[in-house]
Amino acid sequence: MATVAEQWVLVEMVQALYEAPAYHLILEGILILWIIRLLFSKTYKLQERSDLTVKEKEELIEEWQPEPLVPPVSKDHPALNYNIVSGPPSHNIVVNGKECINFASFNFLGLLDNPRLKAAALASLKKYGVGTCGPRGFYGTFDVHLDLEDRLAKFMKTEEAIIYSYGFATIASAIPAYSKRGDIVFVDKAACFAIQKGLQASRSDIKLFNHNDMDDLERLLKEQEIEDQKNPRKARVTRRFIVVEGLYMNTGTICPLPELVKLKYKYKARIFLEESLSFGVLGEHGRGVTEHFGIDIDDIDLISANMENSLASIGGFCCGRSFVIDHQRLSGQGYCFSASLPPLLAAAAIEALNIMEENPGIFAVLKEKCKRIHKALQGISGLKVVGESISPAFHLQLEESTGCRERDVKLLQEIVTQCMDRGIALTQARYLEKEEKYLPPPSIRVVVTVEQTEEELEKAATTISKVAQTVLL
Amino acid sequence: MVDPGGGAVCNGTLHNQSDHCHRKNCTRNGMVKEAQQNGNSNFYKPIVESFEEAPLHVMVFTYLGYGIGTLFGYLRDFLRNWGLEKCNAAIEREEQKDFVPLYQSFENFYTRNLYMRIRDNWNRPICSAPGPLFDVMERVSDDYNWTFRFTGRIIKDVINMGSYNFLGLAAKYDESMKTVKDVLETYGLGVGSTRHEMGTLDKHKELEDLVAKFLNVEAAMVFGMGFATNSMNIPALVGKGCLILSDELNHASLVLGARLSGATIRIFKHNNMQSLEKLLRDAVIYGQPRTRRAWKKILILVEGIYSMEGSIVRLSQIVALKKKYKAYLYVDEAHSIGSVGPTGRGVMEFFAMDPRDIDVFMGTFTKSFGASGGYIAGRKDLVDYLRAHSHSAAYATSMSPPIAEQIIRAMKFIMGLDGTTQGLQRVQQLAENTRYFRQRLSEMGFIIYGNEESPVVPLLLYMPAKVAAFARHLLKRKIGVVVVGFPATPLAEARARFCVSAAHTREMLDAVLEALDEMGDLLHVKYSRNRKSARPELYDETSFELED
């Protein structure tokens, strides 16, 4: 009917209009008017918000008062009054003007004032100056760093090691480099603060198990396995990690590594071991908790430690297989975005490693001293010793708490102050009360070093015992 | 210049007659200190920052380059998977092959296929102090950058344009560092304890007092690592229910600190005051999302100098905004402390502002002071709070004593407390070197980003292949430069970044500029369309006849 379409004559259209029924015309007219109205009306938002006028906005800006940037801190907050050490924090320490024997700094192998370390650092200072002025990627890599990494890898008998310029940043950068959002991490409840920060930065799912309780961990792993079977596709890409410490700083206990390795292979989770306190302390040659239990070091995926305890320097390192460690060179935040370790500290760490390798007998000596003081402090009324007998950093807690943490802290502080008056430098274990997830009970930290003689250990034990008796009874 | 209003000129800056009553704190060491008196500066400094865009064909070729690299990457991955090409990367243990893979293969695609090709331009080991000249250890790769070996030769006296050595204080030992040697021999190196326990030495107290004096604030606190200063103190200052407004290009440590704090984070465009104001207004007026409760506090996080762009924060404008909306300001002066400002006191002095206007001063000692560590300074109640509640004070080891002594020595040097004006001369020398270097580079026709007073000079290269060629050729000519690409910069804006130092002599800078000139012609990286000539402008000549 092509011909009909061509003859749209006006006359015929007007005729059709007259012939159409009335309701048809009215309906069409209404529709046309509605369309015109819609075309010209304003658009409106779906969620009607009462828009404030400019004047109201200015008033709101005027009235708003923020909190002060920092809340006021009371003058006698324990953390405001630091113990000031004049001179080196070595075996004989001068704290707040009093001369004491140092039972508070983590100087396990007594290397803080070792002349060989100072000489090595001095040689490095003469050659390199102090700072490195750049991160590792931008001319901040010195041959000293490469040497130290080499030596640490050889000492721990792993393929590769990587060093960081600060102990805290080591584990706090290592964990987020591997574990991301969606991965699962099983961690001990007594893990130290650096691990907690690393876990928080990683945004992974955290599952806590009771301290050193392998049954609890197994229960959690089993639950996770059941979850995995429900959703195998997701399980294939979710990585699992177990983070433990070799020697726990908060409790002085050693982790049960053989059982952990068994659980690792049974449930296919990787182990990250934090050995800050056990490196240079446990094991026949000081290689840490893996040597202590006789476990093959390749079974542990990553060992992280800081060099601030046994090695008497500053910084930290991670060691393990190249497959694992090399990843941190591009994704460890504390490594890529921070200046490298000053070479004099690295040179001192190398010298400390030399000393550790030359006399492996000091580890046995340290263990002896730990056992001795552990026994000597056993009978004190009012205080109980928390920690293994071979742990050089253990705690003395109140046997019966008074019920209120503040009062406990005050009592312990009294003991610490009186001990310092009698020439034994101790300190309370300090925590940030509001930030810790599982705040350990208040305690006095006692640190044993190789330099302490038997008389000094005896003196410490008797002093603490006497002071505890006077204060607590 | 004579001011018709009757002011006098002193040291090149204009005084008004009314300032005579403040005469006694007016000049010290020959420098005028009127900035602290009533907050208004007597001179207006125009901010000259440029971020020129590249011509279109450059961007097209850049993306094309990445595209070709990616294609070849897929090809290589395919060949490696099918065993046709040897795989040099480390692999998982046999016993753990059935574990969930530690890395997803696509996560490392860029690293394996693009970064690996040009990896020799980074992590170059050196074996001398990072001064203006240093020694680079020569290394070669037999398997296309998968592994390196050292030939044993050392490339001596390479001009250092990469290390953050702004005032030239990182140098090998000389007699002026005697105090550092003494402290090392007395105190040793390690500390073995935290600030709260047994790790506060008298050296730390001395250093903190000196830092507070240097910055002209009430108190300061120092920490062992610059990165950790940010990541451990921002969570102590803000928490849930607070708002953080952070610049787009903030450093990883600021981003990490903001994330760890648990506060809400909103990002404003780089150095863009309209974007910041809009966010501030919306925050104050509408409060927290959904609940509409008011925010507890608002913290603005900015840096003094941004290391990848070379731009300087617009401090006067931010302070005005902060005062209007009652927010708090946190300035990270990692690059700007010691390197900008007439006496090296950082952006606060550069803009002649009152130190009381900035709430939290943060900085690091790595760059201008040749040491390591960081500080936070400000009002006494702020620092007291941080002493009690900072994560670093309770759980991390304190700073090593010889490093503290180096910082003390460097600060005294800059402040002139050692009895000489050499420190001040170095700050001025740095400013002069910066201006000269930037001016010559833009005359040559390179695209340079950033403020004309910032000693960090990014030179845009764009294409990934040119980045590698640039760094390698310059090393052959004994100049060490730093090149940066994705992911530290946007994908298409790879650049070379120069750090000018006060220790660079005019000859060194000229040698570098000459080499850059040739390199620019060789690689065709002179993309700028605003080339300025050094020749005098001849506008005022009325005729060009020889006899006039």
Side-chain angles (χ1 to χ4, degrees):
Chain A
M1 307 279 267
T3 47
V4 178
E6 286 164 18
Q7 293 166 23
W8 277 95
V9 184
L10 193 62
V11 173
E12 289 192 9
M13 276 165 61
V14 172
Q15 250 185 344
L17 204 65
Y18 279 134
E19 286 170 8
Y23 69 87
H24 195 126
L25 286 175
I26 295 173
L27 191 61
E28 284 197 9
I30 292 177
L31 279 175
I32 290 174
L33 286 171
W34 190 256
I35 290 174
I36 293 174
R37 180 175 173 261
L38 278 178
L39 277 173
F40 286 109
S41 73
K42 274 201 303 203
T43 55
Y44 61 94
K45 288 200 190 88
L46 276 175
Q47 272 179 325
E48 190 67 46
R49 258 204 309 209
S50 55
D51 262 345
L52 303 166
T53 63
V54 177
K55 182 164 172 297
E56 284 172 344
K57 288 184 184 172
E58 294 299 327
E59 270 178 19
L60 279 174
I61 294 175
E62 281 285 320
E63 288 169 3
W64 180 62
Q65 281 299 337
E67 285 181 6
L69 180 57
V70 287
V73 181
S74 71
K75 280 224 177 337
D76 54 350
H77 194 286
L80 263 191
N81 310 315
Y82 291 157
N83 296 324
I84 308 247
V85 175
S86 351
S90 53
H91 179 58
N92 293 316
I93 190 175
V94 179
V95 190
N96 297 337
K98 298 173 227 158
E99 274 199 29
C100 309
I101 303 172
N102 193 351
F103 277 83
S105 302
F106 291 115
N107 183 13
F108 302 137
L109 302 179
L111 294 174
L112 267 183
D113 54 353
N114 185 305
R116 278 174 62 176
L117 259 75
K118 291 186 191 174
L122 200 56
S124 171
L125 173 68
K126 292 216 159 100
K127 185 172 176 199
Y128 297 107
V130 179
T132 54
C133 295
R136 289 289 291 259
F138 301 154
Y139 301 110
T141 306
F142 285 40
D143 46 356
V144 198
H145 298 134
L146 298 174
D147 271 341
L148 179 58
E149 288 180 355
D150 226 11
R151 290 294 304 277
L152 282 167
K154 282 207 187 68
F155 181 76
M156 294 295 284
K157 300 208 176 129
T158 58
E159 282 178 24
E160 201 172 327
I162 178 175
I163 49 179
Y164 284 81
S165 56
Y166 205 44
F168 189 99
T170 311
I171 191 69
S173 305
I175 295 178
Y178 301 100
S179 177
K180 314 269 183 204
R181 203 192 284 269
D183 296 331
I184 303 173
V185 184
F186 299 93
V187 67
D188 194 301
K189 277 185 182 162
C192 68
F193 196 72
I195 295 181
Q196 290 174 29
K197 285 292 137 186
L199 292 171
Q200 194 185 350
S202 72
R203 294 196 258 223
S204 319
D205 293 325
I206 316 290
K207 296 195 165 35
L208 295 140
F209 62 90
N210 293 331
H211 177 54
N212 271 354
D213 186 350
M214 292 297 108
D215 296 321
D216 200 26
L217 174 58
E218 186 149 17
R219 175 185 63 87
L220 284 172
L221 285 164
K222 271 208 184 73
E223 278 173 17
Q224 184 56 40
E225 213 182 13
I226 297 175
E227 282 286 323
D228 287 344
Q229 277 156 3
K230 282 189 208 149
N231 195 342
R233 267 185 102 194
K234 188 172 163 208
R236 251 188 303 203
V237 289
T238 314
R239 296 174 277 239
R240 280 142 251 258
F241 301 98
I242 302 176
V243 179
V244 283
E245 285 182 51
L247 192 60
Y248 285 89
M249 182 133 132
N250 292 346
T251 61
T253 46
I254 301 180
C255 75
L257 203 55
E259 285 93 15
L260 275 167
V261 176
K262 276 202 209 92
L263 284 174
K264 164 186 171 166
Y265 286 112
K266 187 167 168 199
Y267 293 97
K268 317 241 180 288
R270 296 173 200 268
I271 300 186
F272 285 175
L273 187 60
E274 220 277 317
E275 290 221 73
S276 292
L277 286 179
S278 52
F279 177 78
V281 167
L282 294 180
E284 205 190 304
H285 294 98
R287 296 205 174 96
V289 75
T290 46
E291 204 185 21
H292 180 78
F293 285 111
I295 294 178
D296 179 14
I297 197 137
D298 281 337
D299 278 335
I300 311 291
D301 294 89
L302 179 87
I303 296 184
S304 142
N306 70 19
M307 304 196 284
E308 293 158 2
N309 302 334
S310 306
L311 287 179
S313 178
I314 304 268
F317 68 93
C318 287
C319 59
R321 296 184 67 243
S322 288
F323 177 69
V324 181
I325 299 292
D326 211 39
H327 181 67
Q328 281 181 49
R329 293 199 196 269
L330 280 179
S331 55
Q333 291 219 323
Y335 181 84
C336 300
F337 295 112
S338 170
S340 48
L341 185 65
L344 54 100
L345 296 168
I350 296 179
E351 194 58 32
L353 268 181
N354 286 341
I355 294 179
M356 272 169 71
E357 285 178 351
E358 282 166 18
N359 21 354
I362 44 174
F363 307 112
V365 170
L366 182 63
K367 284 201 188 68
E368 259 310 304
K369 299 202 179 186
C370 296
K371 283 195 202 137
R372 185 186 294 266
I373 195 165
H374 206 92
K375 221 167 68 179
L377 287 172
Q378 282 296 351
I380 301 183
S381 53
L383 289 177
K384 64 176 174 189
V385 179
V386 173
E388 304 242 346
S389 61
I390 49 169
S391 157
F394 54 91
H395 295 254
L396 286 170
Q397 287 177 9
L398 290 170
E399 252 175 19
E400 292 169 19
S401 158
T402 58
C404 162
R405 194 189 168 93
E406 256 193 56
R407 246 177 296 153
D408 285 349
V409 167
K410 274 209 178 60
L411 274 175
L412 289 170
Q413 188 58 38
E414 195 42 51
I415 299 179
V416 165
T417 322
Q418 288 200 18
C419 283
M420 268 209 268
D421 289 332
R422 284 161 219 239
I424 301 287
L426 290 171
T427 174
Q428 275 198 62
R430 297 273 187 187
Y431 307 102
L432 283 177
E433 271 129 37
K434 293 199 189 73
E435 306 279 339
E436 289 262 6
K437 277 212 193 87
Y438 289 94
L439 186 59
S443 61
I444 299 178
R445 200 196 290 284
V446 181
V447 177
V448 182
T449 74
V450 148
E451 286 183 322
Q452 290 156 355
T453 61
E454 302 196 357
E455 297 88 40
E456 286 166 348
L457 289 171
E458 284 299 322
K459 180 177 171 210
T462 40
T463 316
I464 297 176
S465 159
K466 261 195 232 121
V467 168
Q469 269 187 340
T470 38
V471 172
L472 294 172
L473 293 173
Chain B
M1 296 248 271
V2 178
D3 173 28
V9 176
C10 173
N11 273 9
T13 355
L14 212 52
H15 280 276
N16 283 326
Q17 296 284 17
S18 56
D19 282 348
H20 275 251
C21 49
H22 299 290
R23 234 319 137 73
K24 49 184 185 307
N25 6 336
C26 217
T27 53
R28 198 186 307 174
N29 271 4
M31 291 305 297
V32 181
K33 283 212 181 242
E34 347 167 285
Q36 278 92 45
Q37 283 152 19
N38 45 14
N40 50 354
S41 49
N42 273 350
F43 58 93
Y44 170 66
K45 197 185 221 35
I47 300 176
V48 179
E49 271 186 10
S50 73
F51 297 95
E52 196 184 328
E53 267 187 30
L56 183 61
H57 70 272
V58 173
M59 304 304 278
V60 168
F61 279 118
T62 308
Y63 284 117
L64 204 61
Y66 278 110
I68 294 178
T70 313
L71 277 176
F72 272 91
Y74 280 128
L75 177 67
R76 284 289 173 81
D77 273 350
F78 175 76
L79 292 176
R80 275 191 279 258
N81 270 340
W82 286 89
L84 293 166
E85 184 176 326
K86 191 169 63 139
C87 184
N88 287 336
I91 46 173
E92 180 66 278
R93 283 174 83 203
E94 274 309 313
E95 298 91 332
Q96 290 178 212
K97 278 258 153 69
D98 53 348
F99 281 41
V100 176
L102 192 54
Y103 316 115
Q104 306 291 355
S105 65
F106 67 87
E107 263 171 25
N108 289 358
F109 179 85
Y110 177 80
T111 314
R112 256 197 328 270
N113 297 312
L114 290 161
Y115 174 73
M116 203 51 84
R117 290 169 178 268
I118 52 177
R119 190 162 91 109
D120 56 310
N121 297 315
W122 290 281
N123 293 301
R124 285 184 178 153
I126 71 178
C127 52
S128 74
L133 295 171
F134 61 179
D135 303 334
V136 178
M137 292 167 71
E138 199 184 17
R139 57 180 187 169
V140 291
S141 173
D142 303 316
D143 48 2
Y144 302 104
N145 289 350
W146 284 96
T147 56
F148 291 105
R149 69 179 164 84
F150 294 105
T151 59
R153 271 196 298 271
I154 298 178
I155 310 176
K156 281 199 170 298
D157 291 336
V158 179
I159 302 180
N160 183 358
M161 296 301 291
S163 293
Y164 298 122
N165 185 13
F166 296 129
L167 294 177
L169 288 169
K172 53 189 259 234
Y173 182 81
D174 59 18
E175 266 320 298
S176 60
M177 286 163 79
K178 188 168 182 322
T179 48
V180 181
K181 172 167 172 286
D182 292 336
V183 165
L184 197 151
E185 283 169 352
T186 337
Y187 285 79
L189 290 146
V191 182
S193 190
T194 63
R195 290 296 292 266
H196 280 189
E197 295 184 11
M198 203 57 81
T200 306
L201 308 174
D202 45 3
K203 272 275 158 240
H204 294 139
K205 186 149 182 358
E206 192 187 330
L207 176 58
E208 286 173 1
D209 290 337
L210 190 61
V211 171
K213 195 163 151 205
F214 181 76
L215 293 170
N216 205 1
V217 291
E218 289 177 23
M221 183 171 178
V222 298
F223 304 94
M225 183 195 195
F227 186 97
T229 309
N230 276 330
S231 65
M232 297 206 249
N233 288 305
I234 298 180
L237 291 175
V238 290
K240 259 176 116 66
C242 305
L243 176 66
I244 292 183
L245 297 174
S246 128
D247 190 293
E248 212 178 3
L249 297 179
N250 268 343
H251 189 252
S253 57
L254 288 166
V255 173
L256 183 62
R259 265 185 43 211
L260 286 176
S261 69
T264 314
I265 308 175
R266 298 213 176 126
I267 304 198
F268 62 92
K269 294 206 182 56
H270 177 59
N271 248 355
N272 186 329
M273 296 300 111
Q274 284 83 13
S275 171
L276 176 59
E277 177 155 25
K278 182 169 186 315
L279 286 178
L280 275 169
R281 280 187 83 86
D282 285 344
V284 175
I285 293 171
Y286 296 116
Q288 302 191 24
R290 295 196 312 138
T291 57
R292 297 300 179 93
R293 278 193 208 117
W295 293 104
K296 288 195 203 154
K297 349 181 191 179
I298 300 184
L299 185 66
I300 305 177
L301 291 180
V302 286
E303 288 187 39
I305 292 185
Y306 291 89
S307 55
M308 285 301 152
E309 306 282 310
S311 47
I312 299 187
V313 66
R314 301 204 202 255
L315 194 63
S316 35
Q317 295 167 358
I318 290 193
V319 167
L321 278 177
K322 159 196 117 91
K323 283 187 177 156
K324 177 171 177 196
Y325 293 98
K326 301 192 211 69
Y328 300 112
L329 183 59
Y330 182 112
V331 181
D332 175 348
E333 295 208 71
H335 292 265
S336 52
I337 191 74
S339 56
V340 291
T343 60
R345 301 301 207 263
V347 281
M348 186 253 308
E349 199 191 26
F350 184 73
F351 287 96
M353 311 233 54
D354 189 351
R356 285 185 298 254
D357 283 335
I358 301 179
D359 299 288
V360 189
F361 287 86
M362 178 264 165
T364 62
F365 299 118
T366 331
K367 315 222 163 71
S368 305
F369 300 95
S372 76
Y375 66 85
I376 290 202
R379 294 200 353 241
K380 189 163 185 328
D381 53 357
L382 167 75
V383 177
D384 281 344
Y385 181 81
L386 283 179
R387 282 194 213 281
H389 291 94
S390 160
H391 301 184
S392 165
Y395 295 105
T397 318
S398 39
M399 193 189 263
S400 169
I403 310 251
E405 181 58 35
Q406 161 71 4
I407 304 170
I408 293 176
R409 176 192 87 88
M411 258 189 198
K412 285 190 178 159
F413 179 73
I414 298 176
M415 287 165 83
L417 293 177
D418 60 337
T420 66
T421 53
Q422 278 183 14
L424 197 54
Q425 278 169 8
R426 290 220 186 185
V427 176
Q428 288 168 346
Q429 179 69 35
L430 174 66
E432 203 185 302
N433 282 355
T434 305
R435 275 195 290 269
Y436 176 69
F437 195 68
R438 275 180 171 267
Q439 189 197 355
R440 285 288 305 276
L441 280 179
S442 32
E443 274 167 22
M444 283 182 201
F446 292 104
I447 296 187
I448 308 283
Y449 272 8
N451 192 307
E452 64 174 11
E453 310 265 350
S454 117
V456 174
V457 187
L459 189 156
L460 272 287
L461 296 169
Y462 299 102
M463 297 178 210
K466 292 196 183 179
V467 159
F470 193 79
R472 287 176 188 152
H473 276 280
L474 281 176
L475 186 63
K476 277 205 209 94
R477 288 157 159 268
K478 296 184 43 162
I479 299 174
V481 298
V482 155
V483 288
V484 209
F486 184 77
T489 62
L491 185 68
E493 291 179 19
R495 59 197 71 175
R497 192 188 63 177
F498 301 101
C499 290
V500 184
S501 162
H504 284 138
T505 60
R506 196 47 82 95
E507 292 79 38
M508 283 186 219
L509 289 180
D510 283 337
V512 173
L513 286 164
E514 205 184 295
L516 286 179
D517 204 6
E518 287 178 31
M519 201 54 45
D521 289 327
L522 175 71
L523 295 175
H524 297 285
V525 278
K526 293 188 177 173
Y527 297 126
S528 177
R529 288 171 282 196
N530 307 336
R531 222 174 276 220
K532 281 195 284 259
S533 167
R535 290 170 191 62
E537 275 140 4
L538 301 170
Y539 301 147
D540 299 324
E541 293 282 346
T542 50
S543 95
F544 291 89
E545 301 292 339
L546 280 177
E547 61 277 350
D548 200 48

